[in-house]
């Protein structure tokens, strides 16, 4: 299980620049994902990597939790203090374009020495490592797919510059701002768990605030509540209660 989690974190399934997981992989190497991001998936990934860290204190697992949490807090919050349901895979009529890079784009971002390190680490090639799903032909684009855990450069600086390039040169995929009670309840639960595992009082406060906001959202649509809304919210309440008992 720990090997699988490591492989998923060091893959194209995970957004190496902004954090957060795409919906699923289209191949056994975890290389090319379906680029949609779902709140349900990422909430559960936060929980899973937190619990894994509790069993095996991997800095990679901790980083995944921190980056994914930051990504959700920065980009997914909507009116009412709850979180949106998903971010689309497509932008500018092409799936994944927002997340991938051409070799010459990477060259334009970094000086020559750092560019070589980044390309080696993320397996970036001149012809592109992203294949067309139908034909198998090179697309010219690269999915950032780390070789291993060891990093020979300043990761936060590289991520910042890659993110800046996205902001200036890509159109952000459409956000689905509809509110899923069940997905938000899953996030409440994961916030309580990660707050406990990493002894993070800020996440505990966010869990409490989100729980309150989810209850208000539930009350606002009480005539159209589903079973999973109630079950996941109950689980979140139980996790919150356990957090104070501990």
């Amino acid at each position: 299980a720990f090997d699988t989690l490591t492989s998923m974190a060091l893959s194209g399934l995970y957004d190496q620049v902004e954090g957060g997981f795409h919906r699923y992989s289209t191949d056994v190497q975890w290389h090319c994902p379906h680029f949609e991001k779902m709140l349900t998936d990422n909430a559960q990934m936060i929980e899973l990597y937190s619990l894994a860290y509790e069993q095996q204190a991997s800095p990679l697992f901790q980083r995944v939790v921190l980056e994914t949490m930051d990504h959700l807090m920065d980009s997914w919050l909507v009116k009412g203090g709850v979180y949106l349901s998903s971010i689309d895979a497509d932008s500018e009529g092409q799936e994944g374009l927002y997340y991938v890079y051409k070799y010459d784009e990477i060259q334009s971002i970094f000086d020559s020495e750092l560019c070589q390190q980044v390309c080696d680490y993320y397996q970036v090639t001149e012809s592109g490592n992203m294949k067309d799903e139908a034909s198998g032909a090179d697309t010219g684009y690269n999915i950032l797919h780390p070789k291993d855990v060891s990093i020979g450069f300043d990761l936060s600086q590289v991520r910042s510059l890659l993110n800046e390039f996205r902001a200036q040169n890509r159109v952000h995929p459409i956000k689905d701002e509809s509110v899923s009670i069940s997905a938000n309840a899953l996030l409440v639960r994961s916030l309580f768990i990660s707050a406990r595992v990493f002894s993070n009082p800020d996440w505990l406060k966010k869990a409490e605030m989100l729980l309150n906001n989810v209850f208000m959202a539930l009350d606002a649509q009480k005539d159209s509540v589903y079973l999973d809304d109630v079950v996941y919210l109950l689980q979140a309440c139980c996790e919150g209660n356990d957090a104070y008992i501990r």
Side-chain angles (χ1 to χ4, degrees), residues 151-179:
I151 304 169
F153 49 79
D154 183 337
L155 181 61
S156 76
Q157 177 197 19
V158 166
R159 291 179 71 234
S160 177
L161 291 171
L162 289 168
N163 195 28
E164 183 180 330
F165 179 89
R166 281 184 182 176
Q168 295 177 353
N169 297 276
R170 298 286 191 263
V171 175
H172 197 284
I174 293 172
K175 296 179 179 181
D176 177 3
E177 297 195 1
S178 62
V179 174

Side-chain angles (χ1 to χ4, degrees), residues 141-156:
Y141 289 99
N142 288 278
I143 298 167
L144 301 182
H145 190 153
K147 278 184 176 179
D148 52 46
V149 177
S150 301
I151 304 169
F153 49 79
D154 183 337
L155 181 61
S156 76

Side-chain angles (χ1 to χ4, degrees), residues 42 57 110-111 119 154 181 206:
N42 282 285
F110 306 105
D111 63 47
C119 289
D154 183 337
I181 299 297
K206 288 182 184 297

Side-chain angles (χ1 to χ4, degrees), residues 85-102:
S85 295
S86 65
I87 298 178
D88 199 7
D90 298 358
S91 60
E92 301 178 76
Q94 183 174 336
E95 180 174 349
L97 180 60
Y98 177 77
Y99 300 100
V100 295
Y101 300 83
K102 290 185 175 180

Side-chain angles (χ1 to χ4, degrees), residues 55-84:
Q55 298 296 317
Q56 185 180 103
S58 161
L60 176 63
F61 295 170
Q62 182 178 31
R63 178 163 65 84
V64 166
V65 173
L66 291 169
E67 290 174 358
T68 302
M69 195 79 80
D70 286 346
H71 175 52
L72 294 180
M73 303 304 162
D74 290 345
S75 303
W76 293 62
L77 194 63
V78 293
K79 185 178 179 181
V82 291
Y83 292 80
L84 56 84

Side-chain angles (χ1 to χ4, degrees), residues 2-225:
F2 296 123
D3 288 344
T4 299
L5 291 176
T6 298
S7 295
M8 290 167 65
L10 298 174
S11 77
L13 181 67
Y14 184 68
D15 182 355
Q16 303 295 331
V17 176
E18 295 180 54
F21 286 87
H22 299 294
R23 190 167 184 182
Y24 57 81
S25 178
T26 64
D27 58 79
V28 297
Q29 288 81 30
W30 306 100
H31 177 67
C32 183
H34 172 49
F35 287 91
E36 183 181 14
K37 289 180 177 179
M38 306 285 292
L39 181 58
T40 49
D41 296 337
N42 282 285
Q44 291 178 96
M45 286 297 193
I46 289 171
E47 175 182 341
L48 182 59
Y49 277 86
S50 296
L51 293 175
Y53 180 86
E54 193 171 34
Q55 298 296 317
Q56 185 180 103
S58 161
L60 176 63
F61 295 170
Q62 182 178 31
R63 178 163 65 84
V64 166
V65 173
L66 291 169
E67 290 174 358
T68 302
M69 195 79 80
D70 286 346
H71 175 52
L72 294 180
M73 303 304 162
D74 290 345
S75 303
W76 293 62
L77 194 63
V78 293
K79 185 178 179 181
V82 291
Y83 292 80
L84 56 84
S85 295
S86 65
I87 298 178
D88 199 7
D90 298 358
S91 60
E92 301 178 76
Q94 183 174 336
E95 180 174 349
L97 180 60
Y98 177 77
Y99 300 100
V100 295
Y101 300 83
K102 290 185 175 180
Y103 179 76
D104 60 359
E105 292 175 335
I106 298 291
Q107 284 186 310
S108 73
I109 299 171
F110 306 105
D111 63 47
S112 57
E113 182 179 351
L114 183 54
C115 176
Q116 189 59 53
Q117 290 179 305
V118 169
C119 289
D120 287 345
Y121 180 70
Y122 288 116
Q123 304 185 67
V124 171
T125 67
E126 291 189 45
S127 59
N129 64 28
M130 181 180 178
K131 306 290 184 181
D132 181 82
E133 282 193 62
S135 66
D138 293 332
T139 63
Y141 289 99
N142 288 278
I143 298 167
L144 301 182
H145 190 153
K147 278 184 176 179
D148 52 46
V149 177
S150 301
I151 304 169
F153 49 79
D154 183 337
L155 181 61
S156 76
Q157 177 197 19
V158 166
R159 291 179 71 234
S160 177
L161 291 171
L162 289 168
N163 195 28
E164 183 180 330
F165 179 89
R166 281 184 182 176
Q168 295 177 353
N169 297 276
R170 298 286 191 263
V171 175
H172 197 284
I174 293 172
K175 296 179 179 181
D176 177 3
E177 297 195 1
S178 62
V179 174
S180 165
I181 299 297
S182 59
N184 275 272
L186 286 171
L187 182 57
V188 174
R189 175 181 163 85
S190 70
L191 278 164
F192 277 126
I193 290 171
S194 58
R196 174 181 59 78
V197 171
F198 296 102
S199 302
N200 190 317
D202 289 338
W203 290 350
L204 182 59
K205 290 179 183 177
K206 288 182 184 297
E208 294 167 342
M209 290 175 59
L210 181 56
L211 182 59
N212 183 61
N213 293 337
V214 172
F215 269 114
M216 288 194 291
L218 184 72
D219 186 61
Q221 60 181 65
K222 56 189 173 186
D223 294 330
S224 57
V225 175

